[in-house]
Each structure stands twice: as C-alpha cells, then as structure tokens.
Coordinates of all heavy atoms in Angstrom, one line a residue:
T6 N -0.1 2.7 31.6 CA -1.0 2.9 30.6 C -0.5 3.8 29.5 O 0.4 4.6 29.8 CB -2.3 3.6 31.1 OG1 -2.0 4.8 31.6 CG2 -3.0 2.7 32.2
I7 N -1.0 3.7 28.3 CA -0.5 4.6 27.2 C -1.4 5.8 27.2 O -2.6 5.8 27.2 CB -0.7 3.8 25.9 CG1 0.2 2.6 25.9 CG2 -0.3 4.7 24.7 CD1 0.1 1.7 24.7
A8 N -0.7 7.0 27.2 CA -1.4 8.3 27.1 C -2.1 8.4 25.8 O -1.5 8.1 24.7 CB -0.4 9.4 27.4
Q9 N -3.3 8.9 25.8 CA -4.1 9.1 24.6 C -3.7 10.5 24.0 O -3.5 11.5 24.7 CB -5.6 9.2 24.9 CG -6.5 9.4 23.7 CD -6.4 8.3 22.7 OE1 -6.4 7.1 23.0 NE2 -6.5 8.6 21.4
I10 N -3.4 10.5 22.7 CA -3.1 11.7 22.0 C -4.3 12.2 21.3 O -5.0 11.6 20.6 CB -2.0 11.4 20.9 CG1 -0.7 10.9 21.5 CG2 -1.7 12.6 20.1 CD1 0.3 10.3 20.5
Y11 N -4.7 13.5 21.7 CA -5.9 14.1 21.2 C -5.8 15.0 20.1 O -6.8 15.4 19.5 CB -6.6 14.8 22.4 CG -7.1 13.8 23.4 CD1 -6.4 13.7 24.6 CD2 -8.2 13.0 23.2 CE1 -6.8 12.7 25.6 CE2 -8.6 12.1 24.2 CZ -7.9 12.0 25.4 OH -8.3 11.1 26.3
T12 N -4.6 15.5 19.8 CA -4.4 16.5 18.7 C -3.2 16.1 17.9 O -2.3 15.4 18.3 CB -4.1 17.9 19.3 OG1 -3.0 17.9 20.1 CG2 -5.3 18.4 20.2
F13 N -3.3 16.6 16.6 CA -2.1 16.5 15.8 C -1.0 17.5 16.3 O -1.3 18.5 16.8 CB -2.4 17.0 14.3 CG -3.4 16.0 13.6 CD1 -4.7 16.2 13.6 CD2 -2.8 14.9 12.9 CE1 -5.6 15.3 12.9 CE2 -3.7 14.0 12.2 CZ -5.0 14.2 12.3
K14 N 0.2 17.1 16.2 CA 1.3 17.9 16.6 C 2.6 17.6 15.9 O 2.9 16.5 15.6 CB 1.6 17.6 18.1 CG 2.6 18.6 18.8 CD 2.7 18.3 20.2 CE 3.7 19.3 20.8 NZ 4.0 19.0 22.3
L15 N 3.3 18.7 15.5 CA 4.6 18.6 14.9 C 5.5 19.3 15.9 O 5.4 20.5 16.2 CB 4.6 19.4 13.5 CG 6.0 19.5 12.9 CD1 6.6 18.1 12.6 CD2 5.9 20.3 11.6
N16 N 6.4 18.5 16.4 CA 7.4 19.0 17.4 C 8.6 19.7 16.8 O 8.9 19.4 15.6 CB 7.9 17.8 18.3 CG 6.7 17.2 19.0 OD1 6.0 17.8 19.7 ND2 6.6 15.9 18.9
D17 N 9.2 20.5 17.5 CA 10.4 21.2 17.0 C 11.5 20.2 16.7 O 11.7 19.2 17.5 CB 11.0 22.2 18.0 CG 10.1 23.5 18.1 OD1 9.5 23.8 17.1 OD2 10.0 24.0 19.2
P18 N 12.2 20.3 15.6 CA 13.3 19.4 15.3 C 14.4 19.4 16.5 O 14.6 20.4 17.1 CB 13.9 19.9 14.0 CG 12.8 20.7 13.4 CD 12.1 21.3 14.6
S19 N 15.0 18.2 16.7 CA 16.0 18.1 17.8 C 17.1 17.3 17.3 O 17.0 16.2 16.9 CB 15.3 17.5 19.0 OG 16.2 17.4 20.1
P20 N 18.4 17.8 17.4 CA 18.7 19.2 17.8 C 18.4 20.2 16.7 O 18.2 19.9 15.6 CB 20.2 19.1 18.0 CG 20.7 18.1 17.0 CD 19.5 17.1 17.0
N21 N 18.3 21.5 17.1 CA 18.1 22.6 16.2 C 18.7 23.8 16.9 O 18.2 24.2 17.9 CB 16.6 22.8 16.0 CG 16.3 23.8 14.9 OD1 17.1 24.1 14.1 ND2 15.0 24.3 14.9
P22 N 19.7 24.4 16.3 CA 20.4 24.1 15.0 C 21.0 22.7 15.0 O 21.3 22.2 16.1 CB 21.4 25.2 14.9 CG 21.1 26.3 15.8 CD 20.3 25.6 16.9
F23 N 21.3 22.2 13.8 CA 21.9 20.9 13.7 C 23.0 20.9 12.7 O 23.1 21.8 11.8 CB 20.8 19.9 13.3 CG 20.2 20.0 12.0 CD1 20.6 19.2 10.9 CD2 19.2 21.0 11.7 CE1 20.1 19.4 9.6 CE2 18.7 21.1 10.4 CZ 19.1 20.3 9.4
N24 N 23.8 19.9 12.8 CA 24.9 19.7 11.8 C 24.7 18.3 11.2 O 24.9 17.3 12.0 CB 26.3 19.8 12.4 CG 27.4 19.6 11.4 OD1 27.2 19.3 10.3 ND2 28.6 19.8 11.9
A25 N 24.3 18.2 10.0 CA 24.1 17.0 9.3 C 22.7 16.3 9.5 O 21.9 16.3 8.6 CB 25.2 16.0 9.5
T26 N 22.4 15.9 10.8 CA 21.1 15.2 11.0 C 20.4 15.8 12.2 O 21.0 16.3 13.1 CB 21.3 13.7 11.2 OG1 22.1 13.5 12.4 CG2 22.0 13.0 10.0
T27 N 19.0 15.7 12.1 CA 18.2 16.1 13.2 C 16.9 15.2 13.1 O 16.6 14.6 12.1 CB 17.8 17.6 13.0 OG1 17.0 17.9 14.2 CG2 16.9 17.8 11.8
A28 N 16.3 15.0 14.3 CA 15.1 14.1 14.4 C 13.9 15.0 14.4 O 13.8 16.1 15.1 CB 15.2 13.3 15.7
I29 N 12.9 14.6 13.6 CA 11.6 15.4 13.5 C 10.5 14.4 14.0 O 10.3 13.4 13.4 CB 11.4 15.8 12.1 CG1 12.5 16.8 11.6 CG2 10.0 16.6 12.0 CD1 12.6 17.0 10.2
S30 N 9.9 14.8 15.1 CA 8.8 13.9 15.6 C 7.5 14.6 15.5 O 7.4 15.8 15.5 CB 9.1 13.6 17.1 OG 9.1 14.7 17.9
Y31 N 6.5 13.7 15.4 CA 5.1 14.2 15.2 C 4.1 13.3 15.9 O 4.5 12.1 16.1 CB 4.7 14.5 13.8 CG 4.9 13.3 12.9 CD1 3.7 12.6 12.5 CD2 6.1 12.9 12.3 CE1 3.8 11.5 11.7 CE2 6.2 11.9 11.5 CZ 5.1 11.1 11.2 OH 5.2 10.0 10.4
E32 N 2.9 13.8 16.2 CA 1.9 12.9 16.9 C 0.6 13.0 16.1 O 0.2 14.0 15.6 CB 1.7 13.4 18.3 CG 3.0 13.3 19.1 CD 2.9 14.1 20.5 OE1 1.8 14.5 20.8 OE2 3.9 14.1 21.1
L33 N 0.0 11.8 16.0 CA -1.3 11.7 15.3 C -2.4 11.2 16.2 O -2.2 10.1 16.8 CB -1.1 10.8 14.1 CG 0.0 11.0 13.1 CD1 0.0 9.9 12.1 CD2 -0.3 12.4 12.4
P34 N -3.5 11.9 16.4 CA -4.6 11.3 17.2 C -5.4 10.2 16.5 O -6.1 9.5 17.2 CB -5.4 12.6 17.5 CG -5.2 13.4 16.3 CD -3.8 13.2 15.8
E35 N -5.2 10.1 15.2 CA -5.9 9.1 14.5 C -5.0 8.7 13.3 O -4.2 9.4 12.9 CB -7.3 9.6 14.0 CG -7.1 10.8 13.1 CD -8.4 11.6 12.9 OE1 -9.2 11.7 13.8 OE2 -8.6 12.1 11.8
A36 N -5.3 7.5 12.7 CA -4.6 7.1 11.6 C -4.8 8.0 10.4 O -6.0 8.5 10.2 CB -5.0 5.7 11.2
S37 N -3.8 8.4 9.7 CA -3.9 9.4 8.7 C -2.9 9.2 7.5 O -1.9 8.6 7.8 CB -3.6 10.8 9.2 OG -4.5 11.1 10.3
F38 N -3.2 9.8 6.4 CA -2.2 9.8 5.3 C -1.3 11.0 5.6 O -1.8 12.1 5.9 CB -2.9 10.0 3.9 CG -1.8 9.9 2.8 CD1 -1.5 8.7 2.3 CD2 -1.2 11.0 2.4 CE1 -0.5 8.6 1.3 CE2 -0.2 11.0 1.4 CZ 0.1 9.7 0.8
V39 N 0.0 10.8 5.7 CA 0.9 11.8 6.2 C 1.9 12.2 5.1 O 2.5 11.3 4.5 CB 1.6 11.3 7.4 CG1 2.7 12.3 7.9 CG2 0.7 11.1 8.6
T40 N 2.2 13.5 4.9 CA 3.4 13.9 4.2 C 4.2 14.8 5.1 O 3.7 15.6 5.8 CB 3.0 14.7 2.9 OG1 2.3 15.8 3.2 CG2 2.3 13.8 1.9
L41 N 5.5 14.5 5.1 CA 6.5 15.3 5.9 C 7.6 15.6 5.0 O 8.3 14.7 4.5 CB 7.0 14.4 7.1 CG 7.9 15.2 8.1 CD1 7.1 16.3 8.8 CD2 8.4 14.2 9.1
K42 N 7.7 16.9 4.6 CA 8.6 17.3 3.6 C 9.5 18.5 4.2 O 9.0 19.3 5.0 CB 7.9 17.8 2.3 CG 7.2 16.7 1.6 CD 6.5 17.2 0.4 CE 5.8 16.0 -0.3 NZ 5.2 16.4 -1.6
V43 N 10.7 18.6 3.7 CA 11.6 19.7 4.0 C 11.8 20.6 2.8 O 12.0 20.1 1.7 CB 13.0 19.1 4.5 CG1 13.9 20.3 4.8 CG2 12.8 18.2 5.7
Y44 N 11.6 21.9 3.0 CA 11.7 22.9 2.0 C 12.9 23.8 2.3 O 13.2 24.1 3.4 CB 10.5 23.7 1.9 CG 9.2 22.9 1.5 CD1 8.5 22.2 2.5 CD2 8.8 22.9 0.2 CE1 7.4 21.5 2.2 CE2 7.6 22.2 -0.1 CZ 6.9 21.5 0.9 OH 5.8 20.8 0.5
D45 N 13.5 24.4 1.2 CA 14.4 25.5 1.4 C 13.6 26.8 1.4 O 12.4 26.8 1.3 CB 15.5 25.5 0.3 CG 14.9 25.7 -1.1 OD1 13.8 26.2 -1.3 OD2 15.7 25.5 -2.1
T46 N 14.3 27.9 1.7 CA 13.5 29.2 1.9 C 12.9 29.7 0.6 O 12.1 30.6 0.6 CB 14.5 30.2 2.5 OG1 15.6 30.4 1.6 CG2 14.9 29.9 3.9
V47 N 13.3 29.1 -0.6 CA 12.7 29.5 -1.8 C 11.4 28.7 -2.1 O 10.6 29.0 -3.0 CB 13.7 29.3 -3.0 CG1 13.1 29.8 -4.3 CG2 15.0 30.0 -2.7
G48 N 11.2 27.6 -1.3 CA 10.0 26.8 -1.5 C 10.2 25.5 -2.2 O 9.2 24.8 -2.5
R49 N 11.4 25.2 -2.5 CA 11.7 24.0 -3.2 C 11.8 22.8 -2.2 O 12.3 23.0 -1.1 CB 13.0 24.0 -3.9 CG 13.1 25.0 -5.1 CD 14.4 25.0 -5.7 NE 15.4 25.5 -4.8 CZ 16.3 26.4 -5.1 NH1 16.5 26.9 -6.3 NH2 17.2 26.9 -4.2
V50 N 11.2 21.7 -2.6 CA 11.3 20.5 -1.7 C 12.7 19.9 -1.8 O 13.2 19.7 -2.9 CB 10.3 19.4 -2.2 CG1 10.4 18.1 -1.4 CG2 8.8 19.9 -2.0
V51 N 13.4 19.8 -0.7 CA 14.7 19.3 -0.7 C 14.7 17.8 -0.2 O 15.7 17.1 -0.4 CB 15.7 20.1 0.1 CG1 15.9 21.5 -0.5 CG2 15.3 20.3 1.6
S52 N 13.7 17.4 0.5 CA 13.6 16.0 1.0 C 12.1 15.7 1.3 O 11.4 16.5 1.9 CB 14.5 15.9 2.2 OG 14.4 14.5 2.7
T53 N 11.7 14.5 1.0 CA 10.4 13.9 1.4 C 10.7 12.8 2.4 O 11.3 11.8 2.1 CB 9.6 13.4 0.2 OG1 9.3 14.5 -0.7 CG2 8.3 12.8 0.7
L54 N 10.4 13.1 3.7 CA 10.7 12.1 4.8 C 9.6 11.1 4.9 O 9.9 9.9 5.3 CB 10.9 12.9 6.1 CG 12.0 14.0 6.0 CD1 12.1 14.7 7.3 CD2 13.3 13.3 5.7
V55 N 8.3 11.5 4.8 CA 7.2 10.6 4.9 C 6.2 10.9 3.8 O 5.9 12.1 3.6 CB 6.5 10.7 6.3 CG1 5.3 9.8 6.4 CG2 7.5 10.5 7.4
N56 N 5.7 9.9 3.2 CA 4.6 10.1 2.2 C 3.8 8.8 2.2 O 4.0 7.9 1.3 CB 5.2 10.4 0.8 CG 4.1 10.7 -0.2 OD1 3.1 11.2 0.2 ND2 4.4 10.4 -1.4
G57 N 2.9 8.7 3.2 CA 2.1 7.5 3.3 C 1.2 7.4 4.5 O 1.2 8.4 5.3
Y58 N 0.5 6.3 4.6 CA -0.4 6.1 5.7 C 0.3 5.8 7.0 O 1.2 4.9 7.0 CB -1.4 5.0 5.3 CG -2.6 4.9 6.2 CD1 -3.7 5.7 6.0 CD2 -2.7 3.9 7.1 CE1 -4.8 5.6 6.8 CE2 -3.8 3.7 7.9 CZ -4.9 4.6 7.7 OH -6.0 4.5 8.5
R59 N -0.1 6.4 8.1 CA 0.6 6.1 9.4 C -0.5 5.9 10.4 O -1.6 6.6 10.4 CB 1.5 7.3 9.8 CG 2.7 7.5 9.0 CD 3.6 6.4 9.0 NE 4.8 6.6 8.2 CZ 5.0 6.2 7.0 NH1 4.0 5.6 6.3 NH2 6.1 6.4 6.3
Q60 N -0.3 5.0 11.4 CA -1.2 4.8 12.5 C -1.2 5.9 13.5 O -0.2 6.7 13.5 CB -0.8 3.5 13.2 CG -0.9 2.2 12.3 CD -2.3 1.9 11.9 OE1 -3.3 2.2 12.6 NE2 -2.5 1.4 10.7
A61 N -2.2 6.0 14.3 CA -2.2 7.0 15.4 C -1.1 6.7 16.3 O -0.6 5.6 16.5 CB -3.5 6.8 16.1
G62 N -0.6 7.8 16.9 CA 0.5 7.7 17.9 C 1.7 8.6 17.6 O 1.5 9.5 16.8
S63 N 2.8 8.4 18.2 CA 4.0 9.2 18.1 C 4.9 8.6 17.0 O 5.1 7.4 17.0 CB 4.7 9.3 19.4 OG 3.9 9.9 20.3
H64 N 5.5 9.4 16.2 CA 6.3 9.0 15.1 C 7.6 9.9 15.0 O 7.5 11.0 15.5 CB 5.6 9.0 13.8 CG 4.4 8.2 13.7 ND1 4.4 6.9 13.3 CD2 3.1 8.5 14.0 CE1 3.1 6.4 13.4 NE2 2.3 7.4 13.9
E65 N 8.6 9.4 14.4 CA 9.9 10.2 14.3 C 10.5 9.9 12.9 O 10.5 8.7 12.5 CB 10.8 9.9 15.4 CG 12.1 10.7 15.4 CD 13.0 10.4 16.5 OE1 12.8 11.1 17.6 OE2 13.9 9.6 16.4
A66 N 11.0 10.9 12.3 CA 11.8 10.8 11.1 C 13.1 11.5 11.2 O 13.2 12.5 11.8 CB 11.0 11.4 9.9
M67 N 14.1 10.9 10.6 CA 15.4 11.5 10.6 C 15.6 12.3 9.3 O 15.3 11.8 8.3 CB 16.5 10.5 10.8 CG 16.6 9.8 12.2 SD 16.8 10.9 13.5 CE 18.4 11.6 13.2
F68 N 16.2 13.5 9.5 CA 16.5 14.3 8.3 C 18.0 14.4 8.2 O 18.7 14.9 9.2 CB 15.9 15.7 8.4 CG 16.3 16.6 7.3 CD1 16.0 16.4 6.0 CD2 17.0 17.8 7.6 CE1 16.5 17.2 5.0 CE2 17.4 18.7 6.6 CZ 17.2 18.4 5.3
D69 N 18.6 14.1 7.1 CA 20.0 14.2 6.8 C 20.3 15.3 5.8 O 19.9 15.2 4.7 CB 20.5 12.9 6.3 CG 22.0 12.8 6.1 OD1 22.6 13.9 6.2 OD2 22.6 11.8 5.8
G70 N 20.8 16.4 6.3 CA 21.1 17.6 5.5 C 22.6 17.6 5.1 O 23.0 18.7 4.7
S71 N 23.3 16.5 5.2 CA 24.7 16.6 4.9 C 25.1 17.0 3.5 O 26.2 17.5 3.2 CB 25.4 15.2 5.2 OG 24.8 14.2 4.5
N72 N 24.1 16.8 2.5 CA 24.4 17.2 1.1 C 23.8 18.6 0.8 O 23.8 19.0 -0.3 CB 23.8 16.2 0.2 CG 22.3 16.1 0.4 OD1 21.7 16.4 1.4 ND2 21.6 15.6 -0.7
L73 N 23.4 19.3 1.8 CA 22.8 20.6 1.6 C 23.7 21.7 2.2 O 24.5 21.5 3.1 CB 21.4 20.7 2.3 CG 20.4 19.8 1.8 CD1 19.1 19.8 2.7 CD2 20.0 20.1 0.4
A74 N 23.5 23.0 1.7 CA 24.2 24.1 2.2 C 23.7 24.5 3.6 O 22.5 24.3 3.9 CB 24.1 25.3 1.3
S75 N 24.5 25.2 4.4 CA 24.1 25.7 5.7 C 23.0 26.7 5.4 O 23.0 27.4 4.4 CB 25.2 26.5 6.4 OG 26.2 25.6 6.8
G76 N 22.0 26.8 6.3 CA 20.9 27.8 6.2 C 19.7 27.4 6.9 O 19.7 26.4 7.6
V77 N 18.6 28.1 6.6 CA 17.3 27.8 7.2 C 16.5 26.9 6.3 O 16.4 27.1 5.1 CB 16.5 29.2 7.4 CG1 15.1 28.9 7.9 CG2 17.3 30.0 8.4
Y78 N 15.9 25.9 6.9 CA 15.0 25.0 6.1 C 13.7 24.9 6.9 O 13.6 25.2 8.1 CB 15.6 23.6 6.0 CG 16.8 23.7 5.1 CD1 18.1 24.0 5.6 CD2 16.7 23.5 3.7 CE1 19.2 24.1 4.8 CE2 17.8 23.6 2.9 CZ 19.0 23.9 3.4 OH 20.1 24.0 2.6
L79 N 12.6 24.6 6.2 CA 11.3 24.5 6.8 C 10.8 23.0 6.7 O 10.9 22.4 5.6 CB 10.3 25.4 6.1 CG 10.7 26.9 6.2 CD1 9.7 27.7 5.3 CD2 10.6 27.4 7.6
V80 N 10.3 22.5 7.7 CA 9.7 21.1 7.7 C 8.2 21.3 7.8 O 7.7 22.0 8.6 CB 10.3 20.2 8.8 CG1 10.1 20.7 10.2 CG2 9.7 18.8 8.7
R81 N 7.5 20.6 6.9 CA 6.0 20.8 6.8 C 5.4 19.4 7.0 O 5.7 18.5 6.2 CB 5.6 21.4 5.5 CG 4.1 21.6 5.3 CD 3.9 22.2 3.9 NE 2.5 22.2 3.6 CZ 1.7 23.3 3.6 NH1 2.2 24.5 3.8 NH2 0.4 23.2 3.3
L82 N 4.4 19.3 7.9 CA 3.7 18.1 8.2 C 2.2 18.4 7.7 O 1.6 19.4 8.0 CB 3.6 17.8 9.7 CG 2.6 16.7 10.1 CD1 3.2 15.3 9.6 CD2 2.4 16.7 11.6
E83 N 1.7 17.5 6.8 CA 0.3 17.5 6.4 C -0.2 16.1 6.8 O 0.3 15.1 6.4 CB 0.2 17.7 4.9 CG 0.6 19.1 4.5 CD 0.5 19.3 3.0 OE1 -0.3 18.6 2.4 OE2 1.2 20.2 2.5
A84 N -1.3 16.1 7.6 CA -2.0 14.9 8.0 C -3.5 15.2 8.0 O -4.0 16.0 8.8 CB -1.5 14.5 9.3
G85 N -4.3 14.7 7.1 CA -5.7 15.0 7.0 C -5.8 16.5 6.7 O -5.1 17.0 5.8
A86 N -6.6 17.2 7.4 CA -6.8 18.7 7.2 C -5.8 19.5 8.0 O -5.8 20.7 8.0 CB -8.2 19.1 7.7
F87 N -4.9 18.8 8.8 CA -3.9 19.5 9.7 C -2.7 19.8 8.9 O -2.1 18.9 8.1 CB -3.6 18.6 10.9 CG -2.5 19.1 11.7 CD1 -2.8 20.1 12.7 CD2 -1.2 18.7 11.6 CE1 -1.8 20.6 13.5 CE2 -0.2 19.2 12.5 CZ -0.5 20.2 13.4
T88 N -2.1 21.0 9.1 CA -0.8 21.4 8.5 C -0.1 22.2 9.5 O -0.6 23.0 10.2 CB -1.0 22.3 7.2 OG1 -1.8 21.6 6.3 CG2 0.3 22.6 6.6
A89 N 1.2 21.9 9.6 CA 2.1 22.6 10.6 C 3.5 22.8 9.9 O 3.9 21.9 9.2 CB 2.2 21.9 11.9
V90 N 4.1 23.8 10.3 CA 5.5 24.1 9.7 C 6.4 24.5 10.9 O 6.0 25.2 11.8 CB 5.5 25.3 8.7 CG1 6.9 25.6 8.2 CG2 4.5 24.9 7.5
R91 N 7.6 24.0 10.9 CA 8.6 24.3 11.9 C 9.9 24.7 11.1 O 10.2 24.2 10.1 CB 9.0 23.2 12.8 CG 7.8 22.7 13.7 CD 7.6 23.7 14.8 NE 6.5 23.3 15.7 CZ 5.3 23.7 15.5 NH1 4.9 24.4 14.5 NH2 4.3 23.3 16.4
K92 N 10.6 25.7 11.7 CA 11.9 26.2 11.1 C 13.0 25.4 11.7 O 13.0 25.1 12.9 CB 12.0 27.7 11.4 CG 13.3 28.3 10.8 CD 13.3 29.8 10.9 CE 13.6 30.2 12.3 NZ 13.9 31.6 12.5
M93 N 14.0 25.1 10.9 CA 15.2 24.4 11.4 C 16.5 25.1 10.7 O 16.3 25.5 9.6 CB 15.2 22.9 11.3 CG 14.9 22.4 9.9 SD 14.7 20.6 10.0 CE 14.4 20.3 8.3
V94 N 17.6 25.1 11.4 CA 18.8 25.7 10.9 C 19.9 24.7 10.8 O 20.2 24.0 11.8 CB 19.2 26.9 11.9 CG1 20.5 27.5 11.4 CG2 18.1 27.9 12.0
L95 N 20.4 24.6 9.6 CA 21.6 23.7 9.4 C 22.8 24.5 9.4 O 23.0 25.5 8.7 CB 21.4 23.1 8.0 CG 22.6 22.2 7.4 CD1 22.9 21.1 8.4 CD2 22.3 21.7 6.1
L96 N 23.7 24.1 10.4 CA 25.0 24.8 10.5 C 26.1 23.8 10.3 O 26.2 22.8 10.9 CB 25.2 25.3 12.0 CG 24.3 26.5 12.4 CD1 24.5 26.8 13.8 CD2 24.5 27.7 11.5
K97 N 27.0 24.1 9.3 CA 28.1 23.2 9.0 C 29.4 23.8 9.5 O 29.6 25.0 9.6 CB 28.2 22.9 7.6 CG 27.0 22.1 7.1 CD 27.2 21.6 5.7 CE 26.1 20.6 5.4 NZ 26.2 20.1 4.0

C-alpha cells in the first residue's frame, strides 16, 4: 500500500555538503502550487527549481551549483500557506 502523507515537508538536501549537484526532496499532502528556489546568503535567487502546480506525494528536484562559488545557500519551499527553508553548503 502507499503510505499517506499528512504534512508538507522539505527534506534536507542530499548530499550536503555537496560538490556541483544535490537532490532536494519534498512531500505534499495535497496538490498545491509549489515554488522551490535557491538563494545566496544575501537573499538573491540563484536558481528556481520548481514553479508550478504539483500533485500530492513525494517529489525531488536536482540543484546544480557548478556555476556558483563555494559557500552557504538556502533552499526555500513554498506550497500553499506552507514555507520551509533548509541550509546547504557547496564545497568545490
């Protein structure tokens, strides 16, 4: 059987720290309009990974930071009224 997801969730990026790419997974208990963006520590958007309607369930997006400098980045998930942020470290 398929496990029912009851809450929104943004999982920690894996791997983290990462070199070049990392997977960012999230869970939706209901279909929602989703934005998943990566920010630098100054608050600038460096990548938009998801910007659209997604069905309920588990989802994953890949982030490629190969064109960015080493450092700390923040990934932010917005889905309906839910917002979550996770920190990730790019090491080159």
Side-chain angles (χ1 to χ4, degrees):
T6 63
I7 298 174
Q9 180 66 39
I10 298 170
Y11 293 104
T12 60
F13 289 95
K14 185 175 182 186
L15 175 60
N16 298 308
D17 289 328
S19 180
N21 188 19
F23 67 101
N24 181 353
T26 61
T27 188
I29 301 163
S30 62
Y31 59 96
E32 299 170 8
L33 306 174
E35 60 194 36
S37 304
F38 187 87
V39 173
T40 58
L41 186 66
K42 296 182 180 182
V43 177
Y44 296 84
D45 62 16
T46 54
V47 184
R49 293 179 295 224
V50 175
V51 296
S52 181
T53 298
L54 303 175
V55 178
N56 186 29
Y58 193 78
R59 295 294 182 268
Q60 296 296 325
S63 297
H64 302 271
E65 184 177 271
M67 291 301 296
F68 173 63
D69 183 349
S71 58
N72 61 335
L73 299 172
S75 294
V77 174
Y78 293 88
L79 302 172
V80 59
R81 178 182 172 109
L82 172 71
E83 293 181 21
F87 176 81
T88 301
V90 178
R91 294 285 180 269
K92 182 172 75 170
M93 54 189 181
V94 178
L95 173 59
L96 292 177
K97 291 191 173 180

